[in-house]
Amino acid sequence: MGTWREIDVPVWETVVTPCDCCGQVVAKRLWIVEIDGTEQRFCGEECESLFRTYVLPERAVRAAADADPA
Amino acid sequence: MTDPVTLTVLNNSFVNVCREMGLTMIRTAFSPIFNEGLDFSCVVFDRRGNMIGQAEFCPAQIAASLYIVRWTLEELGVDSFEPGDVVLHNDPYRGGAHIPEHSVIRPVFHDGELFGFVANVGHLAEIGGMAVGSFAADATEVFQEGLRIPPIKIVKRDEHDMELWQLIMANHRTPRNTWGDLNAQIGSLRVAERRMHELLDRYGRELVEQASDELMDYSERWMRAEIEAIPDGVYAFGERMEDDGVGPDPVRFHVQVTVNGDELIVDWSGTDPQARGPINATYGVTAGATYNAVFHLTDDGIPKNSGAYRPIRIIAPPGSAVNVQYPGPSVGGNTETHPKLADIVIAALAPALPHRAAAAEGGTACNFLFGGIHPKTGDYYANYHLEGGGWGGTAAQDGNDAIIVKNGNCRNTPVEIFETRYPLRVIEYSLLPDSGGPGAQRGGLGTRRVFEIEEGAEVTVNALLDRTKPGFGAWGLAGGKQGGPAAILVKRKGETEFRTFTEAFGTASGSKFTNIRLQAGDRVIIESPGGGGYGDPGERSADLVTEDIDQGFVSEEAARTAYGLES
């Protein structure tokens, strides 16, 4: 279960925050979810879903391919 | 439910509001990049940040505006807008395609209530930074690329904030043009606001809002139907850029497209990490290139509004060459990387859509920037010049010749305008024989242009091209061959041969360099690349090859060696 977190940007901060799934800028509110012990920051629940159903399985496939290049 | 006739009338009205904004720009801007080159785009949004109208402008800017407007509204808050405000913004990390492109956004209020926004994205020809024309081909940080402006109100309730204007113009080399061009953009917003008021007066706010929602749903349904017609599966393709302008190594881009029912997941995760030089794409560029490719592969009748983009999910890892992070440079990502990314998506899906896919296009805008003190006026000038190249052949026809890259619908600047404004003379401007990749359908031809610096002038030049090295030409499809390379060469006054800029000036890259001083009598050749061919060249009919020879598109030697034509 995730929670919304407001981004409080100091006036000197010029770095924007990207979504951990799609890479888009999150301008005001982050959707925070802990997955496998790591805090992930998303645009919203749609990206959380895409992260779970596509990104994580893809990473596992790539990691397996990297470990076994043959 | 709105009746189909009213829906069509309103959809065309939104498009025509954007077209009239464009005409305002052409007639009122100071710089040839706008009134000749058309390097700008005009769009209409609803109050939630959904695009409801666009016209036939630059695909890269239109797609970037989706993010620029939405993220600006989120960052500033919709409630912060008052009638007559204009927000200015060119931050590449906040949706922009690259730093020269300045967006202006104006709210449209009707009867005291916010209806939506009109916006204009335009490429200012000079915004300061380390290189004249603000196309620093060897930049390693955004600070070298020009003045970066996060979303700020430059006009408040129709009053210009002159202190902000002064700050901006003090950082540009041609501030009078900045004043004229930005005010042309702002003026186009006023025209659009007036037209939207007329539309809202005539049809009523409720109907216009309902119709725009229905039009977006209609576009979404149509796009989903187009995607559903593509066989489900995973499609992939990768390609390299020859260098990043700073180091000698190529930069690799890779896409994996998953078609799952009526949705696409376009995943750029296999792309190289962010490059040190300025060929990185912003998120807006990568998303724009992805949408551009999908629009090339689907029915062109789909109304282009936010609904059409909904079924396409894009993954662009932050810190990679497809999603540059602060303070990485990105000025070349829009012109050099966007067309390659779009062609990579097209190539990935080509096995599933062979009748709609094209071979790769030239894929470089051949950016050539120059400036200095004009010997006839004593004024500082700067110009952004670009060249069209060949486009790829398709299953149905040869590629087009001398067309600007896919990210823009820009035009070239007529020689007469060019020579009137700047102290360079055009010695030759021609199609380049044999530059089109051989194929059953031949790739389009690139061009050759030769400039000479006029008497009394000293010109500082920058260039950002790609595809000059062997093996990096536009790829063919279905057995078609690679298109011819690009080139940029120089011959100093008194010399007999053209050489690369690396040979003549020691630049790190032969195709990407800044701040080279040329003197009167020096000459520069720019050759744009040809497009890739489609299909086996041996299947091209002898009649067509003979016609190509007659037209000067293909030499007799290439007709024999590439097409097997017996004399």
Side-chain angles (χ1 to χ4, degrees):
Chain A
M1 183 62 189
T3 52
W4 287 105
R5 183 189 296 165
E6 292 282 328
I7 302 174
D8 187 18
V9 186
V11 69
W12 60 83
E13 185 57 83
T14 59
V15 180
V16 292
T17 308
C19 169
D20 286 337
C21 176
C22 69
Q24 283 194 47
V25 166
V26 186
K28 212 66 185 173
R29 287 200 316 162
L30 285 162
W31 178 246
I32 305 290
V33 185
E34 189 174 307
I35 298 175
D36 296 336
T38 305
E39 182 182 282
Q40 304 287 350
R41 308 170 305 174
F42 299 120
C43 317
E45 291 176 65
E46 277 193 13
C47 263
E48 180 199 342
S49 170
L50 187 64
F51 189 80
R52 290 183 189 277
T53 59
Y54 174 82
V55 175
L56 288 178
E58 277 298 316
R59 282 185 189 169
V61 168
R62 281 175 198 159
D66 289 346
D68 181 16
Chain B
M1 231 5 217
T2 312
D3 70 86
V5 173
T6 306
L7 270 183
T8 304
V9 168
L10 281 169
N11 185 49
N12 290 340
S13 299
F14 297 147
V15 173
N16 282 321
V17 167
C18 297
R19 286 179 180 153
E20 193 174 350
M21 291 168 79
L23 287 174
T24 307
M25 281 290 288
I26 291 168
R27 288 174 180 165
T28 59
F30 281 22
S31 298
I33 191 172
F34 289 142
N35 38 44
E36 298 292 343
L38 312 186
D39 197 347
F40 61 84
S41 298
C42 307
V43 276
V44 180
F45 287 80
D46 70 13
R47 67 174 178 277
R48 295 162 294 173
N50 295 311
M51 182 196 292
I52 59 173
Q54 58 167 266
E56 305 82 354
F57 299 109
C58 299
Q61 293 167 343
I62 290 169
S65 73
L66 285 166
Y67 302 99
I68 292 166
V69 171
R70 182 150 57 81
W71 296 343
T72 296
L73 301 187
E74 284 176 20
E75 188 167 340
L76 301 185
V78 173
D79 294 341
S80 70
F81 285 87
E82 295 186 278
D85 287 351
V86 176
V87 167
L88 173 67
H89 167 4
N90 77 336
D91 190 340
Y93 309 113
R94 286 178 164 91
H98 59 174
I99 197 166
E101 287 183 354
H102 286 57
S103 300
V104 287
I105 305 165
R106 182 180 174 100
V108 176
F109 283 83
H110 185 251
D111 291 338
E113 197 181 338
L114 181 66
F115 166 79
F117 299 86
V118 288
N120 181 318
V121 186
H123 183 130
L124 292 188
E126 164 49 53
I127 64 158
M130 69 185 274
V132 63
S134 311
F135 231 93
D138 50 4
T140 54
E141 293 183 322
V142 68
F143 312 109
Q144 296 160 333
E145 298 187 305
L147 182 67
R148 176 177 165 224
I149 305 169
I152 54 168
K153 283 187 189 173
I154 194 163
V155 181
K156 294 172 183 166
R157 298 192 73 88
D158 279 322
E159 292 288 331
H160 287 258
D161 185 333
M162 292 312 297
E163 290 176 349
L164 271 181
W165 276 96
Q166 287 168 335
L167 176 67
I168 292 165
M169 290 191 290
N171 284 279
H172 292 185
R173 290 180 177 84
T174 52
R176 185 171 176 275
N177 284 5
T178 296
W179 174 251
D181 290 339
L182 267 181
N183 269 302
Q185 288 187 260
I186 291 168
S188 78
L189 301 182
R190 292 202 187 96
V191 170
E193 181 187 38
R194 196 159 59 235
R195 294 291 177 252
M196 289 305 296
H197 282 165
E198 289 166 4
L199 208 59
L200 289 160
D201 287 342
R202 182 170 177 188
Y203 289 95
R205 181 193 181 93
E206 194 178 335
L207 177 62
V208 174
E209 286 183 343
Q210 180 182 316
S212 31
D213 283 349
E214 289 176 18
L215 281 165
M216 285 189 280
D217 291 343
Y218 173 67
S219 294
E220 181 180 353
R221 285 197 302 275
W222 194 343
M223 180 59 85
R224 285 189 185 280
E226 291 284 316
I227 294 171
E228 202 155 27
I230 306 171
D232 277 7
V234 178
Y235 304 90
F237 195 81
E239 174 59 351
R240 300 168 307 159
M241 185 174 289
E242 65 185 13
D243 63 51
D244 70 351
V246 176
D249 297 329
V251 180
R252 184 168 188 272
F253 301 91
H254 183 270
V255 77
Q256 176 173 294
V257 183
T258 303
V259 182
N260 183 14
D262 61 1
E263 285 195 345
L264 289 180
I265 299 172
V266 183
D267 181 2
W268 294 96
S269 296
T271 297
D272 277 354
Q274 185 166 310
R276 190 151 175 255
I279 55 80
N280 299 300
T282 66
Y283 183 89
V285 164
T286 300
T290 303
Y291 297 138
N292 197 345
V294 174
F295 286 137
H296 269 89
L297 294 169
T298 50
D299 195 306
D300 61 8
I302 301 174
K304 304 297 186 296
N305 56 45
S306 280
Y309 301 78
R310 288 175 190 155
I312 305 162
R313 302 296 305 269
I314 297 165
I315 295 174
S320 72
V322 291
N323 191 353
V324 63
Q325 299 295 295
Y326 175 91
S330 61
V331 72
N334 194 30
T335 62
E336 309 304 287
T337 308
H338 177 123
K340 292 185 182 71
L341 299 183
D343 277 345
I344 287 169
V345 174
I346 290 171
L349 288 169
L353 298 167
H355 56 295
R356 283 184 166 170
E361 55 135 305
T364 170
C366 298
N367 306 289
F368 184 63
L369 299 294
F370 56 87
I373 305 292
H374 200 298
K376 289 180 183 155
T377 64
D379 292 333
Y380 200 94
Y381 67 89
N383 187 47
Y384 173 28
H385 177 84
L386 39 83
E387 297 284 358
W391 279 40
T394 68
Q397 61 187 49
D398 292 343
N400 291 330
D401 306 320
I403 300 289
I404 190 65
V405 282
K406 279 191 181 66
N407 67 308
N409 279 334
C410 302
R411 301 188 306 205
N412 66 2
T413 299
V415 170
E416 293 79 4
I417 300 290
F418 186 89
E419 292 185 342
T420 303
R421 299 286 289 264
Y422 310 112
L424 288 86
R425 200 153 49 92
V426 178
I427 306 297
E428 178 186 341
Y429 182 37
S430 58
L431 290 172
L432 199 54
D434 294 336
S435 57
Q441 279 68 244
R442 180 177 45 73
L445 301 186
T447 61
R448 174 188 287 129
R449 196 186 293 257
V450 184
F451 303 106
E452 182 175 294
I453 312 298
E454 279 191 356
E455 207 53 48
E458 181 184 87
V459 180
T460 303
V461 304
N462 314 303
L464 207 166
L465 290 80
D466 198 56
R467 295 209 199 281
T468 64
K469 293 179 182 172
F472 287 86
W475 62 84
L477 277 183
K481 306 299 180 190
Q482 207 171 72
I488 180 160
L489 305 168
V490 63
K491 185 171 76 171
R492 309 303 306 273
K493 186 177 182 182
E495 293 181 346
T496 55
E497 300 288 329
F498 280 92
R499 297 183 288 163
T500 67
F501 278 74
T502 301
E503 290 163 345
F505 296 98
T507 59
S509 164
S511 59
K512 303 172 184 71
F513 50 81
T514 55
N515 293 326
I516 301 297
R517 288 199 170 187
L518 298 180
Q519 311 290 336
D522 291 349
R523 289 189 177 190
V524 174
I525 286 180
I526 298 177
E527 291 180 351
S528 63
Y534 190 101
D536 182 352
E539 293 175 8
R540 188 170 180 82
S541 77
D543 286 350
L544 285 175
V545 179
T546 304
E547 190 182 325
D548 283 342
I549 296 170
D550 292 344
Q551 295 280 355
F553 298 158
V554 172
S555 67
E556 290 189 9
E557 185 189 348
R560 281 193 302 275
T561 56
Y563 292 96
L565 187 73
E566 304 293 334
S567 52

